[in-house]
Amino acid sequence: MRTPLIAANWKMHMTIAPAVRLIEEVKAALGARSGVEVVICPPATALSAAGHALAGTPFLLGGQTMHWEPKGAYTGEVSGPMLVDVGCRFVIVGHSERRLYFGETDDAVGRKVRAAIECGLTPIVCVGERLEERQAGRTDAVITSQVRAALQEVPAGALQRLVVAYEPVWAIGTGQTATGAEANRVAGVIRRTLAGPGKDAAAAVRILYGGSVKPENIREFLEQPEIDGALVGGASLDVQAFAAIVRAAERRAPG
Ligand code: PGA
């Protein structure tokens, strides 16, 4: 059984004081969770303070992106070892906003995934088709090629360390979502792509759904057999909404 995972992507929101306040509210609302992993991904400037606020809780810290080199002349970038240094265990890689606004290519995503694994971080690799790709019937082809690119440099035996988030680009921040059944179908495509020869570990990889997840629709995704949780943007900034999403995942947790 795969442990459900709910990840909060705060994007470019929250200076330090409100970030710490929101974490205190999440802690108060959720207490000690069991059976579901909760990862909070604040912006880089709030990571250190957020890490301190999360110390001693079951909630884990994640970065929103990273560079593939451990250090060097890359002005403005943050490396995997730097994320580890502030207490991160996870990192979002290849979010569609990175791909769209910052020119992040499949090739860069592949290098980042490898670098994340090498420094002990769990990458949450985002894949998803744009609206015009869906309308052209290219969803599966796009997803398959994004997953293959992300896997390109993953060392043998490390596959099960990956988390993949299926985030249809047209569903992010729009209030529109894929249906549970369609998200489950695409998650199946992702799992079959992960499961190449010698890659039995694909069954252990957690696949999340992302794109306008809210307390009102989370159950539709969690009840799908291929979906193991969610990557939550907007609703993760609202403590009551986020807590309700985590509680829904807890009810689905094994044991
Ligand atoms: P959203 O964002 O929940 O606001 O749609 C999801 C994401 O971008 O990861």
Side-chain angles (χ1 to χ4, degrees):
M1 259 314 237
R2 301 179 291 263
T3 305
L5 171 63
I6 302 291
N9 176 10
W10 288 3
K11 308 194 180 185
M12 198 171 73
H13 295 284
M14 299 284 167
T15 50
I16 291 172
V20 170
R21 208 152 49 230
L22 181 53
I23 285 175
E24 294 303 336
E25 288 170 4
V26 168
K27 280 158 61 174
L30 286 172
R33 293 290 95 182
S34 62
V36 48
E37 245 172 26
V38 177
V39 179
I40 299 187
C41 304
T45 51
L47 278 172
S48 177
H52 283 111
L54 289 172
T57 76
F59 310 119
L60 301 167
L61 189 67
Q64 296 179 8
T65 184
M66 60 176 272
H67 197 272
W68 57 80
E69 291 292 343
K71 61 182 181 191
Y74 300 101
T75 302
E77 290 291 315
V78 171
S79 74
M82 291 169 182
L83 293 181
V84 171
D85 189 41
V86 290
C88 289
R89 303 270 302 277
F90 286 77
V91 59
I92 299 169
V93 176
H95 190 280
S96 62
E97 287 152 13
R98 302 285 327 162
R99 296 178 191 254
L100 185 63
Y101 304 130
F102 304 100
E104 203 159 297
T105 61
D106 275 348
D107 180 58
V109 171
R111 281 189 265 174
K112 290 178 181 206
V113 168
R114 186 212 61 219
I117 288 174
E118 275 173 0
C119 68
L121 290 164
T122 297
I124 301 174
V125 186
C126 300
V127 299
E129 80 286 1
R130 299 196 307 266
L131 183 59
E132 58 273 25
E133 293 168 333
R134 167 157 290 265
Q135 286 167 339
R138 296 190 49 235
T139 298
D140 293 10
V142 168
I143 298 298
T144 304
S145 89
Q146 287 179 344
V147 172
R148 287 208 181 112
L151 284 181
Q152 216 154 257
E153 301 190 34
V154 171
L159 184 68
Q160 71 280 5
R161 297 266 314 279
L162 239 62
V163 173
V164 180
Y166 170 52
E167 298 206 305
V169 178
W170 47 271
I172 295 178
T174 60
Q176 285 186 296
T177 63
T179 62
E182 173 60 3
N184 188 62
R185 191 192 68 75
V186 177
V189 170
I190 292 170
R191 203 175 298 285
R192 284 193 293 282
T193 308
L194 293 171
K199 289 183 181 160
D200 299 343
V205 172
R206 286 177 292 177
I207 300 180
L208 314 180
Y209 170 79
S212 298
V213 168
K214 300 195 166 42
E216 297 76 35
N217 59 30
I218 182 67
R219 278 176 197 80
E220 178 177 353
F221 299 106
L222 291 174
E223 69 195 16
Q224 307 298 328
E226 293 288 2
I227 296 177
D228 306 303
L231 180 54
V232 186
S236 73
L237 296 167
D238 175 328
V239 64
Q240 293 313 329
F242 186 65
I245 290 167
V246 172
R247 282 193 209 101
E250 196 174 37
R251 277 197 285 281
R252 181 197 184 258

